[in-house]
């Protein structure tokens, strides 16, 4: 039985004149929404008696009649993967621009909804949609998805529908600019500097690693790292210390993520005002350098301003504790 000219679906209002599927009377399946409709008797152009017993459609009826889309899941080489908050990484967002500027937001669950209203993180940004985007954690992988927002979601300046995030990626939502951060959970669980030194002696900076100039003053410090401990730094960058215990020394940045602390990390500064794990210098996927504070007691400062995360340029001054260094690129 073909579709019936002039008849419309009682659920979605679509025409039943083209593509409708006839079932054993008294129903016809709508080609638009799949709803079942009462079929009129053949040759009867008036309203069928059967329809008198059918109440007018409601919004709830229409919603029930429409097929629901399955929840999005990430497909990988091993098939679909479930959402999970990893134990070996710590994820967070830091707001660099927008109404929440300066706010650092740690991830406490594997799915974080961002937007303006009724979400996990309300950006209080009028240019953001109510439900703008979501970040989902599939083990150690973070996936950002735009939720059909009006103004779009951007990663490192490029509009995206979906993107796998890397640490230090910039996310633009409305007028808000956020930095996505991923930190090794091992930095959160170091028991003591002594224990760390015994387990990872390469993290210490021994006097033997320093070079002496003509008058015997130690001016340069070499960091010895075992092969494979971290990816090498993509650029030649040096830290020139202008104050603190290492004043006058120059230290090369040798890996993509360099942790600074008093008793833990790649660079251990004997400065009482530096926290055990204080800050991290890290390159993003575009080889731009950032510094992020690791919840230190006395804070991390860039050009005199306290920051949670901040981009670093040639000549910038960074202070941790009473130690200040200039970045030479």
């Amino acid at each position: 039985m073909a579709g019936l000219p002039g008849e419309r679906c009682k659920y979605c209002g679509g025409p039943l004149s083209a593509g409708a599927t006839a079932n054993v009377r008294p129903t016809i399946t709508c080609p638009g929404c799949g709803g079942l409709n009462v079929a009129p008797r053949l040759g009867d152009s008036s309203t069928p008696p059967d329809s008198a017993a059918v109440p007018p459609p409601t919004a709830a009826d229409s919603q029930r009649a429409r097929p629901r889309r399955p929840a999005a899941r990430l497909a990988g080489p091993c098939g679909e993967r479930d959402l999970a908050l990893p134990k070996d990484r710590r994820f967070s967002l830091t707001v660099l621009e927008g109404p929440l500027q300066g706010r650092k937001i740690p991830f406490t669950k594997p799915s974080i909804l961002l937007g303006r209203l009724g979400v996990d993180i309300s950006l209080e940004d009028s240019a953001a949609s109510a439900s703008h985007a979501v970040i989902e954690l599939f083990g150690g992988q973070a996936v950002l998805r735009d939720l059909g927002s009006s103004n779009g979601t951007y990663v490192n300046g490029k509009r995206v529908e979906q993107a796998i995030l890397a640490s230090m990626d910039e996310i633009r939502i409305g007028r808000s600019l956020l930095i996505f951060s991923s930190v090794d959970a091992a930095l959160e669980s170091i028991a003591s500097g002594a224990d760390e030194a015994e387990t990872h002696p390469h993290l210490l900076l021994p006097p033997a690693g320093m070079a002496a100039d003509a008058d015997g003053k130690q001016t340069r410090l070499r960091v010895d790292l075992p092969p494979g401990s971290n990816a090498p730094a993509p650029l030649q960058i040096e830290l020139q210390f202008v104050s603190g215990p290492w004043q006058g020394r120059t230290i090369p940045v040798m890996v993509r993520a360099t942790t600074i602390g008093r008793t833990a990390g790649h660079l251990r500064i004997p400065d009482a005002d530096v926290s055990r794990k204080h800050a991290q210098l890290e390159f993003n996927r575009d080889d731009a350098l950032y510094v992020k504070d690791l919840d230190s007691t006395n804070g991390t400062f860039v050009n005199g301003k306290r920051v949670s995360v901040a981009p670093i340029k040639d000549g910038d001054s960074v202070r941790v504790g009473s130690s200040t260094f200039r970045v030479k690129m």
Side-chain angles (χ1 to χ4, degrees), residues 93 95 98-101 103 105 112-126 128-132 173 176 178:
L93 290 171
V95 185
L100 300 186
Q101 184 176 2
R103 183 86 58 87
I105 308 162
I112 303 294
L113 188 61
L114 302 99
R116 194 178 70 254
L117 297 171
V119 292
D120 298 309
I121 300 177
S122 175
L123 298 173
E124 301 176 14
D125 186 334
S126 59
S129 296
S131 294
H132 195 108
I173 294 178
S176 298
L178 306 94

PDB file of all heavy atoms in Angstrom, residues 93 95 98-101 103 105 112-126 128-132 173 176 178:
ATOM      1  N   LEU A  93      41.809  22.145  33.831  1.00  0.00           N
ATOM      2  CA  LEU A  93      41.640  23.272  32.922  1.00  0.00           C
ATOM      3  C   LEU A  93      41.965  24.545  33.682  1.00  0.00           C
ATOM      4  O   LEU A  93      41.530  24.708  34.834  1.00  0.00           O
ATOM      5  CB  LEU A  93      40.205  23.340  32.395  1.00  0.00           C
ATOM      6  CG  LEU A  93      39.747  22.256  31.420  1.00  0.00           C
ATOM      7  CD1 LEU A  93      38.250  22.374  31.180  1.00  0.00           C
ATOM      8  CD2 LEU A  93      40.509  22.344  30.108  1.00  0.00           C
ATOM      9  N   VAL A  95      41.726  28.757  33.224  1.00  0.00           N
ATOM     10  CA  VAL A  95      41.116  29.803  32.398  1.00  0.00           C
ATOM     11  C   VAL A  95      42.084  30.984  32.282  1.00  0.00           C
ATOM     12  O   VAL A  95      42.397  31.635  33.280  1.00  0.00           O
ATOM     13  CB  VAL A  95      39.773  30.271  32.996  1.00  0.00           C
ATOM     14  CG1 VAL A  95      39.108  31.276  32.054  1.00  0.00           C
ATOM     15  CG2 VAL A  95      38.847  29.080  33.240  1.00  0.00           C
ATOM     16  N   GLY A  98      38.535  35.410  30.003  1.00  0.00           N
ATOM     17  CA  GLY A  98      37.103  35.218  30.203  1.00  0.00           C
ATOM     18  C   GLY A  98      36.673  35.535  31.627  1.00  0.00           C
ATOM     19  O   GLY A  98      37.501  35.890  32.480  1.00  0.00           O
ATOM     20  N   PRO A  99      35.372  35.395  31.916  1.00  0.00           N
ATOM     21  CA  PRO A  99      34.849  35.734  33.244  1.00  0.00           C
ATOM     22  C   PRO A  99      35.507  34.956  34.384  1.00  0.00           C
ATOM     23  O   PRO A  99      35.576  35.459  35.509  1.00  0.00           O
ATOM     24  CB  PRO A  99      33.356  35.385  33.128  1.00  0.00           C
ATOM     25  CG  PRO A  99      33.051  35.526  31.668  1.00  0.00           C
ATOM     26  CD  PRO A  99      34.289  35.056  30.967  1.00  0.00           C
ATOM     27  N   LEU A 100      35.976  33.748  34.135  1.00  0.00           N
ATOM     28  CA  LEU A 100      36.601  32.931  35.183  1.00  0.00           C
ATOM     29  C   LEU A 100      38.121  32.999  35.130  1.00  0.00           C
ATOM     30  O   LEU A 100      38.803  32.087  35.623  1.00  0.00           O
ATOM     31  CB  LEU A 100      36.146  31.471  35.069  1.00  0.00           C
ATOM     32  CG  LEU A 100      34.656  31.184  35.185  1.00  0.00           C
ATOM     33  CD1 LEU A 100      34.413  29.681  35.189  1.00  0.00           C
ATOM     34  CD2 LEU A 100      34.059  31.808  36.437  1.00  0.00           C
ATOM     35  N   GLN A 101      38.670  34.057  34.568  1.00  0.00           N
ATOM     36  CA  GLN A 101      40.119  34.175  34.391  1.00  0.00           C
ATOM     37  C   GLN A 101      40.869  33.881  35.688  1.00  0.00           C
ATOM     38  O   GLN A 101      40.531  34.393  36.760  1.00  0.00           O
ATOM     39  CB  GLN A 101      40.480  35.576  33.905  1.00  0.00           C
ATOM     40  CG  GLN A 101      41.962  35.761  33.607  1.00  0.00           C
ATOM     41  CD  GLN A 101      42.273  37.136  33.038  1.00  0.00           C
ATOM     42  OE1 GLN A 101      41.383  37.975  32.899  1.00  0.00           O
ATOM     43  NE2 GLN A 101      43.512  37.380  32.694  1.00  0.00           N
ATOM     44  N   ARG A 103      41.042  30.947  37.146  1.00  0.00           N
ATOM     45  CA  ARG A 103      40.503  29.767  37.835  1.00  0.00           C
ATOM     46  C   ARG A 103      41.138  28.491  37.282  1.00  0.00           C
ATOM     47  O   ARG A 103      41.252  28.308  36.089  1.00  0.00           O
ATOM     48  CB  ARG A 103      38.988  29.716  37.640  1.00  0.00           C
ATOM     49  CG  ARG A 103      38.277  28.585  38.367  1.00  0.00           C
ATOM     50  CD  ARG A 103      37.943  28.970  39.781  1.00  0.00           C
ATOM     51  NE  ARG A 103      37.104  30.152  39.812  1.00  0.00           N
ATOM     52  CZ  ARG A 103      35.766  30.118  39.722  1.00  0.00           C
ATOM     53  NH1 ARG A 103      35.141  28.968  39.558  1.00  0.00           N
ATOM     54  NH2 ARG A 103      35.073  31.239  39.818  1.00  0.00           N
ATOM     55  N   ILE A 105      40.661  24.379  37.345  1.00  0.00           N
ATOM     56  CA  ILE A 105      39.584  23.426  37.599  1.00  0.00           C
ATOM     57  C   ILE A 105      40.091  22.008  37.378  1.00  0.00           C
ATOM     58  O   ILE A 105      40.343  21.608  36.237  1.00  0.00           O
ATOM     59  CB  ILE A 105      38.377  23.702  36.682  1.00  0.00           C
ATOM     60  CG1 ILE A 105      37.958  25.175  36.791  1.00  0.00           C
ATOM     61  CG2 ILE A 105      37.220  22.780  37.014  1.00  0.00           C
ATOM     62  CD1 ILE A 105      37.087  25.665  35.669  1.00  0.00           C
ATOM     63  N   ILE A 112      33.333  15.878  31.479  1.00  0.00           N
ATOM     64  CA  ILE A 112      33.160  17.241  31.964  1.00  0.00           C
ATOM     65  C   ILE A 112      32.414  18.045  30.903  1.00  0.00           C
ATOM     66  O   ILE A 112      32.900  18.236  29.787  1.00  0.00           O
ATOM     67  CB  ILE A 112      34.510  17.911  32.273  1.00  0.00           C
ATOM     68  CG1 ILE A 112      35.307  17.097  33.291  1.00  0.00           C
ATOM     69  CG2 ILE A 112      34.293  19.334  32.768  1.00  0.00           C
ATOM     70  CD1 ILE A 112      34.687  17.035  34.666  1.00  0.00           C
ATOM     71  N   LEU A 113      31.214  18.508  31.250  1.00  0.00           N
ATOM     72  CA  LEU A 113      30.386  19.306  30.343  1.00  0.00           C
ATOM     73  C   LEU A 113      30.661  20.785  30.592  1.00  0.00           C
ATOM     74  O   LEU A 113      30.608  21.250  31.730  1.00  0.00           O
ATOM     75  CB  LEU A 113      28.917  18.987  30.581  1.00  0.00           C
ATOM     76  CG  LEU A 113      27.886  19.578  29.612  1.00  0.00           C
ATOM     77  CD1 LEU A 113      28.132  19.079  28.196  1.00  0.00           C
ATOM     78  CD2 LEU A 113      26.476  19.219  30.068  1.00  0.00           C
ATOM     79  N   LEU A 114      30.964  21.524  29.510  1.00  0.00           N
ATOM     80  CA  LEU A 114      31.265  22.948  29.599  1.00  0.00           C
ATOM     81  C   LEU A 114      30.212  23.760  28.864  1.00  0.00           C
ATOM     82  O   LEU A 114      29.705  23.342  27.826  1.00  0.00           O
ATOM     83  CB  LEU A 114      32.640  23.251  28.995  1.00  0.00           C
ATOM     84  CG  LEU A 114      33.844  22.538  29.589  1.00  0.00           C
ATOM     85  CD1 LEU A 114      34.215  21.350  28.722  1.00  0.00           C
ATOM     86  CD2 LEU A 114      35.032  23.477  29.692  1.00  0.00           C
ATOM     87  N   GLY A 115      29.897  24.925  29.418  1.00  0.00           N
ATOM     88  CA  GLY A 115      28.927  25.795  28.770  1.00  0.00           C
ATOM     89  C   GLY A 115      28.515  26.924  29.671  1.00  0.00           C
ATOM     90  O   GLY A 115      29.297  27.393  30.507  1.00  0.00           O
ATOM     91  N   ARG A 116      27.263  27.340  29.522  1.00  0.00           N
ATOM     92  CA  ARG A 116      26.777  28.501  30.258  1.00  0.00           C
ATOM     93  C   ARG A 116      25.789  28.118  31.348  1.00  0.00           C
ATOM     94  O   ARG A 116      25.797  28.703  32.441  1.00  0.00           O
ATOM     95  CB  ARG A 116      26.131  29.482  29.271  1.00  0.00           C
ATOM     96  CG  ARG A 116      25.880  30.870  29.851  1.00  0.00           C
ATOM     97  CD  ARG A 116      25.278  31.808  28.825  1.00  0.00           C
ATOM     98  NE  ARG A 116      23.899  31.443  28.491  1.00  0.00           N
ATOM     99  CZ  ARG A 116      23.522  30.870  27.363  1.00  0.00           C
ATOM    100  NH1 ARG A 116      24.424  30.584  26.424  1.00  0.00           N
ATOM    101  NH2 ARG A 116      22.256  30.561  27.130  1.00  0.00           N
ATOM    102  N   LEU A 117      24.919  27.113  31.088  1.00  0.00           N
ATOM    103  CA  LEU A 117      23.856  26.774  32.037  1.00  0.00           C
ATOM    104  C   LEU A 117      23.743  25.268  32.208  1.00  0.00           C
ATOM    105  O   LEU A 117      23.866  24.516  31.243  1.00  0.00           O
ATOM    106  CB  LEU A 117      22.504  27.325  31.545  1.00  0.00           C
ATOM    107  CG  LEU A 117      22.365  28.844  31.419  1.00  0.00           C
ATOM    108  CD1 LEU A 117      21.063  29.184  30.706  1.00  0.00           C
ATOM    109  CD2 LEU A 117      22.408  29.500  32.791  1.00  0.00           C
ATOM    110  N   GLY A 118      23.523  24.824  33.437  1.00  0.00           N
ATOM    111  CA  GLY A 118      23.253  23.423  33.709  1.00  0.00           C
ATOM    112  C   GLY A 118      24.361  22.485  33.307  1.00  0.00           C
ATOM    113  O   GLY A 118      24.105  21.395  32.801  1.00  0.00           O
ATOM    114  N   VAL A 119      25.612  22.884  33.518  1.00  0.00           N
ATOM    115  CA  VAL A 119      26.765  22.090  33.096  1.00  0.00           C
ATOM    116  C   VAL A 119      27.700  21.875  34.285  1.00  0.00           C
ATOM    117  O   VAL A 119      27.526  22.455  35.358  1.00  0.00           O
ATOM    118  CB  VAL A 119      27.518  22.783  31.944  1.00  0.00           C
ATOM    119  CG1 VAL A 119      26.682  22.784  30.675  1.00  0.00           C
ATOM    120  CG2 VAL A 119      27.902  24.220  32.314  1.00  0.00           C
ATOM    121  N   ASP A 120      28.724  21.058  34.084  1.00  0.00           N
ATOM    122  CA  ASP A 120      29.697  20.808  35.147  1.00  0.00           C
ATOM    123  C   ASP A 120      30.554  22.039  35.406  1.00  0.00           C
ATOM    124  O   ASP A 120      30.866  22.366  36.546  1.00  0.00           O
ATOM    125  CB  ASP A 120      30.596  19.615  34.782  1.00  0.00           C
ATOM    126  CG  ASP A 120      29.806  18.334  34.619  1.00  0.00           C
ATOM    127  OD1 ASP A 120      29.020  18.016  35.530  1.00  0.00           O
ATOM    128  OD2 ASP A 120      29.948  17.655  33.585  1.00  0.00           O
ATOM    129  N   ILE A 121      30.964  22.704  34.334  1.00  0.00           N
ATOM    130  CA  ILE A 121      31.760  23.929  34.455  1.00  0.00           C
ATOM    131  C   ILE A 121      31.030  25.048  33.738  1.00  0.00           C
ATOM    132  O   ILE A 121      30.978  25.097  32.504  1.00  0.00           O
ATOM    133  CB  ILE A 121      33.166  23.752  33.851  1.00  0.00           C
ATOM    134  CG1 ILE A 121      33.921  22.625  34.565  1.00  0.00           C
ATOM    135  CG2 ILE A 121      33.957  25.059  33.950  1.00  0.00           C
ATOM    136  CD1 ILE A 121      35.290  22.346  33.985  1.00  0.00           C
ATOM    137  N   SER A 122      30.422  25.950  34.510  1.00  0.00           N
ATOM    138  CA  SER A 122      29.737  27.099  33.927  1.00  0.00           C
ATOM    139  C   SER A 122      30.757  28.219  33.736  1.00  0.00           C
ATOM    140  O   SER A 122      31.333  28.720  34.700  1.00  0.00           O
ATOM    141  CB  SER A 122      28.601  27.579  34.841  1.00  0.00           C
ATOM    142  OG  SER A 122      28.027  28.762  34.326  1.00  0.00           O
ATOM    143  N   LEU A 123      30.998  28.587  32.480  1.00  0.00           N
ATOM    144  CA  LEU A 123      32.006  29.589  32.172  1.00  0.00           C
ATOM    145  C   LEU A 123      31.512  31.010  32.405  1.00  0.00           C
ATOM    146  O   LEU A 123      32.286  31.962  32.302  1.00  0.00           O
ATOM    147  CB  LEU A 123      32.466  29.434  30.725  1.00  0.00           C
ATOM    148  CG  LEU A 123      33.138  28.087  30.396  1.00  0.00           C
ATOM    149  CD1 LEU A 123      33.385  27.979  28.894  1.00  0.00           C
ATOM    150  CD2 LEU A 123      34.437  27.928  31.165  1.00  0.00           C
ATOM    151  N   GLU A 124      30.202  31.164  32.685  1.00  0.00           N
ATOM    152  CA  GLU A 124      29.603  32.484  32.914  1.00  0.00           C
ATOM    153  C   GLU A 124      29.917  33.417  31.743  1.00  0.00           C
ATOM    154  O   GLU A 124      30.171  34.607  31.917  1.00  0.00           O
ATOM    155  CB  GLU A 124      30.106  33.074  34.230  1.00  0.00           C
ATOM    156  CG  GLU A 124      29.788  32.197  35.442  1.00  0.00           C
ATOM    157  CD  GLU A 124      30.374  32.728  36.734  1.00  0.00           C
ATOM    158  OE1 GLU A 124      30.808  33.911  36.740  1.00  0.00           O
ATOM    159  OE2 GLU A 124      30.406  31.984  37.733  1.00  0.00           O
ATOM    160  N   ASP A 125      29.898  32.833  30.545  1.00  0.00           N
ATOM    161  CA  ASP A 125      30.291  33.543  29.331  1.00  0.00           C
ATOM    162  C   ASP A 125      29.079  33.607  28.407  1.00  0.00           C
ATOM    163  O   ASP A 125      28.575  32.582  27.953  1.00  0.00           O
ATOM    164  CB  ASP A 125      31.440  32.776  28.676  1.00  0.00           C
ATOM    165  CG  ASP A 125      32.036  33.481  27.467  1.00  0.00           C
ATOM    166  OD1 ASP A 125      31.322  34.274  26.830  1.00  0.00           O
ATOM    167  OD2 ASP A 125      33.208  33.226  27.157  1.00  0.00           O
ATOM    168  N   SER A 126      28.607  34.822  28.112  1.00  0.00           N
ATOM    169  CA  SER A 126      27.402  34.972  27.302  1.00  0.00           C
ATOM    170  C   SER A 126      27.608  34.513  25.858  1.00  0.00           C
ATOM    171  O   SER A 126      26.643  34.244  25.147  1.00  0.00           O
ATOM    172  CB  SER A 126      26.946  36.440  27.305  1.00  0.00           C
ATOM    173  OG  SER A 126      27.966  37.292  26.794  1.00  0.00           O
ATOM    174  N   ALA A 128      29.107  31.745  25.108  1.00  0.00           N
ATOM    175  CA  ALA A 128      29.107  30.280  25.121  1.00  0.00           C
ATOM    176  C   ALA A 128      27.676  29.775  25.076  1.00  0.00           C
ATOM    177  O   ALA A 128      26.765  30.399  25.631  1.00  0.00           O
ATOM    178  CB  ALA A 128      29.815  29.758  26.366  1.00  0.00           C
ATOM    179  N   SER A 129      27.455  28.656  24.414  1.00  0.00           N
ATOM    180  CA  SER A 129      26.124  28.048  24.403  1.00  0.00           C
ATOM    181  C   SER A 129      25.839  27.424  25.758  1.00  0.00           C
ATOM    182  O   SER A 129      26.750  27.182  26.555  1.00  0.00           O
ATOM    183  CB  SER A 129      26.047  26.982  23.304  1.00  0.00           C
ATOM    184  OG  SER A 129      26.202  27.562  22.025  1.00  0.00           O
ATOM    185  N   ALA A 130      24.540  27.167  26.022  1.00  0.00           N
ATOM    186  CA  ALA A 130      24.164  26.588  27.304  1.00  0.00           C
ATOM    187  C   ALA A 130      24.939  25.298  27.561  1.00  0.00           C
ATOM    188  O   ALA A 130      25.573  25.134  28.602  1.00  0.00           O
ATOM    189  CB  ALA A 130      22.661  26.329  27.338  1.00  0.00           C
ATOM    190  N   SER A 131      24.869  24.363  26.622  1.00  0.00           N
ATOM    191  CA  SER A 131      25.707  23.162  26.655  1.00  0.00           C
ATOM    192  C   SER A 131      26.611  23.251  25.437  1.00  0.00           C
ATOM    193  O   SER A 131      26.184  22.968  24.315  1.00  0.00           O
ATOM    194  CB  SER A 131      24.860  21.888  26.614  1.00  0.00           C
ATOM    195  OG  SER A 131      24.077  21.772  27.784  1.00  0.00           O
ATOM    196  N   HIS A 132      27.844  23.669  25.649  1.00  0.00           N
ATOM    197  CA  HIS A 132      28.710  24.054  24.536  1.00  0.00           C
ATOM    198  C   HIS A 132      29.609  22.911  24.054  1.00  0.00           C
ATOM    199  O   HIS A 132      29.680  22.625  22.863  1.00  0.00           O
ATOM    200  CB  HIS A 132      29.577  25.235  24.965  1.00  0.00           C
ATOM    201  CG  HIS A 132      30.231  25.942  23.820  1.00  0.00           C
ATOM    202  ND1 HIS A 132      29.838  27.198  23.390  1.00  0.00           N
ATOM    203  CD2 HIS A 132      31.254  25.583  23.002  1.00  0.00           C
ATOM    204  CE1 HIS A 132      30.578  27.568  22.365  1.00  0.00           C
ATOM    205  NE2 HIS A 132      31.460  26.599  22.112  1.00  0.00           N
ATOM    206  N   ILE A 173      36.293  28.817  23.899  1.00  0.00           N
ATOM    207  CA  ILE A 173      34.839  28.671  23.964  1.00  0.00           C
ATOM    208  C   ILE A 173      34.262  30.055  24.232  1.00  0.00           C
ATOM    209  O   ILE A 173      34.487  30.628  25.303  1.00  0.00           O
ATOM    210  CB  ILE A 173      34.411  27.692  25.068  1.00  0.00           C
ATOM    211  CG1 ILE A 173      34.876  26.269  24.726  1.00  0.00           C
ATOM    212  CG2 ILE A 173      32.905  27.726  25.275  1.00  0.00           C
ATOM    213  CD1 ILE A 173      34.546  25.242  25.786  1.00  0.00           C
ATOM    214  N   SER A 176      36.070  32.834  26.283  1.00  0.00           N
ATOM    215  CA  SER A 176      36.921  32.200  27.284  1.00  0.00           C
ATOM    216  C   SER A 176      38.024  31.376  26.613  1.00  0.00           C
ATOM    217  O   SER A 176      37.758  30.608  25.690  1.00  0.00           O
ATOM    218  CB  SER A 176      36.085  31.296  28.203  1.00  0.00           C
ATOM    219  OG  SER A 176      35.119  32.051  28.910  1.00  0.00           O
ATOM    220  N   LEU A 178      40.907  28.599  27.547  1.00  0.00           N
ATOM    221  CA  LEU A 178      41.300  27.654  28.582  1.00  0.00           C
ATOM    222  C   LEU A 178      42.528  26.865  28.137  1.00  0.00           C
ATOM    223  O   LEU A 178      42.718  26.614  26.951  1.00  0.00           O
ATOM    224  CB  LEU A 178      40.162  26.676  28.903  1.00  0.00           C
ATOM    225  CG  LEU A 178      38.806  27.270  29.270  1.00  0.00           C
ATOM    226  CD1 LEU A 178      37.916  27.381  28.043  1.00  0.00           C
ATOM    227  CD2 LEU A 178      38.114  26.425  30.323  1.00  0.00           C
TER     228      LEU A 178
END
